[in-house]
Amino acid sequence: TVPDLNVSGGVVALNVPLNVSAFNLVNGIVGANAPLNVGGLFTWTAGNLTGSSFTNANGGILFNGGQVFLDSTTLDNVAGQTAAMNAAGASLAFRNGAIFNNHGTFLAQNDQSFSINVSTGTFNNIGTFTRDTGAGTFTISDIFLVFNNTGTVNVNSGTLALDCATNSSGPINVSGATSSLSNDSAIL
C-alpha cells in the first residue's frame, strides 16, 4: 500500500495492482493497466484517467476543478461512498468506451455536464444519483453516452437534462425541480 498517489503532471503507467490511501489527480495522465484501489478520497481536479483495468474509489470521489477525462477504463464509486461534482467548472467527459459505475451516491451539484469527448461512454447508476444545490441545468449529453439507471434518480433542484441514451428500470423522483428527457432513445 502506498500512502498517497499525487499526480500533478506527466504520465504515470500503473502496470501492477496498487492500493493507495488517497489519490489526487491534479493534472496529467494516469494509466490504470492493473487494478487501482483507493482507500480514501479520490480528488480529481484535471487530467485523464485511462487504462485497460479499473479504479475502485473506496473513499468517494471529489470532482473539484475543470473538465476531467475518463478514457477507456472503468471507475467505480463503491457502495456507501459519495462522488460529488460541486466545483463550478467541474465536468466529466467520457472517451473510448469508458464506464463509470455508481454503487454509492453521486451528487450533481453544479450546472455542468457529463459528455462524450471521443467515441462512447456509459454511466451506470446502481445507487443514488441526486441533482441538487443548483438552480441551473446539469446535462448528461450526447447520443453516444448511455445513462443506465437501476438505482434511484432524485431531482431536488434545478434541472436534470438527460439528452443521451437513457435506460431506467429504477425510479426518477422530481421534487420542486425539472427533469428533461430530450433524446429519442430514452427507455423508462
Side-chain angles (χ1 to χ4, degrees):
T1 299
V2 175
D4 291 331
L5 176 60
N6 300 305
V7 179
S8 59
V11 178
V12 177
L14 303 174
N15 296 316
V16 296
L18 185 63
N19 297 317
V20 299
S21 296
F23 179 22
N24 299 295
L25 181 52
V26 176
N27 205 351
I29 299 170
V30 174
N33 298 313
L36 172 59
N37 292 296
V38 183
L41 185 63
F42 172 16
T43 303
W44 198 355
T45 305
N48 299 342
L49 180 61
T50 186
S52 58
S53 190
F54 59 86
T55 299
N56 287 322
N58 297 305
I61 305 166
L62 176 62
F63 297 90
N64 73 337
Q67 186 174 47
V68 297
F69 300 92
L70 187 63
D71 186 355
S72 65
T73 192
T74 299
L75 175 59
D76 292 318
N77 182 45
V78 302
Q81 298 303 314
T82 299
M85 186 173 286
N86 55 17
S91 65
L92 175 61
F94 291 77
R95 290 179 171 166
N96 301 311
I99 299 169
F100 188 112
N101 294 315
N102 178 47
H103 295 273
T105 299
F106 192 98
L107 301 176
Q109 297 179 316
N110 64 11
D111 298 331
Q112 291 296 326
S113 65
F114 294 160
S115 62
I116 291 293
N117 182 262
V118 176
S119 188
T120 62
T122 303
F123 185 96
N124 294 312
N125 182 51
I126 300 103
T128 303
F129 182 97
T130 299
R131 166 67 176 140
D132 65 355
T133 67
T137 301
F138 188 90
T139 304
I140 301 174
S141 65
D142 201 294
I143 60 171
F144 298 109
L145 179 59
V146 177
F147 183 85
N148 294 316
N149 177 48
T150 57
T152 300
V153 173
N154 297 313
V155 185
N156 297 332
S157 66
T159 299
L160 174 63
L162 298 172
D163 187 17
C164 60
T166 304
N167 302 296
S168 183
S169 60
I172 298 176
N173 304 310
V174 180
S175 174
T178 304
S179 180
S180 168
L181 297 170
S182 58
N183 190 294
D184 292 337
S185 59
I187 300 171
L188 303 176

